[in-house]
Amino acid sequence: QVQLVESGGGLVQAGGSLRLSCAASGRTFSSYAMGWFRQAPGKEREFVATISWGGGGTYYADSVKGRFTISRDNAKNTVYLQMNSLKPEDTAVYYCAADQVSVVRRVPSTWGQGAQVTVSS
């Protein structure tokens, strides 16, 4: 089973950009579907984006489509979330998730510790 560590969060002004990284330990990273979720204060955790094990398939929540891009580098055991045109409503703790089947069709088996993203207006 992989272990996940997020980095790259921070404070940014509305309209700005951030890139989150999620580094995975373990030799089977390339067999995992990966995803990003987020949880804003007082709200439930919500899906943001997912990418297939090979990187050929991606899927986004409507709220981030066209602004966020998920990608992965299996040689570096890392998945990324490039966030552009950030809005105050994107403020949340962002979690990386992994599962050998799907991070969308079922609750992912593995989660990172989370990275805070704060977008000021």
Side-chain angles (χ1 to χ4, degrees):
Q1 186 155 346
V2 296
Q3 293 183 321
L4 307 174
V5 178
E6 298 100 333
S7 61
L11 173 65
V12 64
Q13 288 189 332
S17 298
L18 279 176
R19 188 176 81 158
L20 299 178
S21 299
C22 174
S25 63
R27 293 174 288 179
T28 59
F29 174 75
S30 61
S31 68
Y32 282 77
M34 301 295 298
W36 289 93
F37 292 74
R38 66 186 182 186
Q39 187 167 18
K43 295 187 176 182
E44 293 186 353
R45 190 174 299 187
E46 65 175 3
F47 166 77
V48 174
T50 185
I51 188 166
S52 61
W53 62 269
T58 58
Y59 179 70
Y60 299 90
D62 287 343
S63 59
V64 306
K65 200 173 296 182
R67 300 188 298 122
F68 290 11
T69 302
I70 188 171
S71 62
R72 67 189 295 163
D73 185 337
N74 285 344
K76 296 182 178 180
N77 279 15
T78 303
V79 64
Y80 305 96
L81 186 68
Q82 177 66 44
M83 303 183 292
N84 298 329
S85 302
L86 282 160
K87 305 175 181 180
E89 51 264 43
D90 294 318
T91 295
V93 177
Y94 283 71
Y95 296 91
C96 179
D99 195 274
Q100 289 188 301
V101 176
S102 170
V103 301
V104 178
R105 296 198 299 270
R106 67 183 196 182
V107 177
S109 61
T110 306
W111 294 86
Q113 83 287 355
Q116 177 69 48
V117 171
T118 303
V119 184
S120 63
S121 57

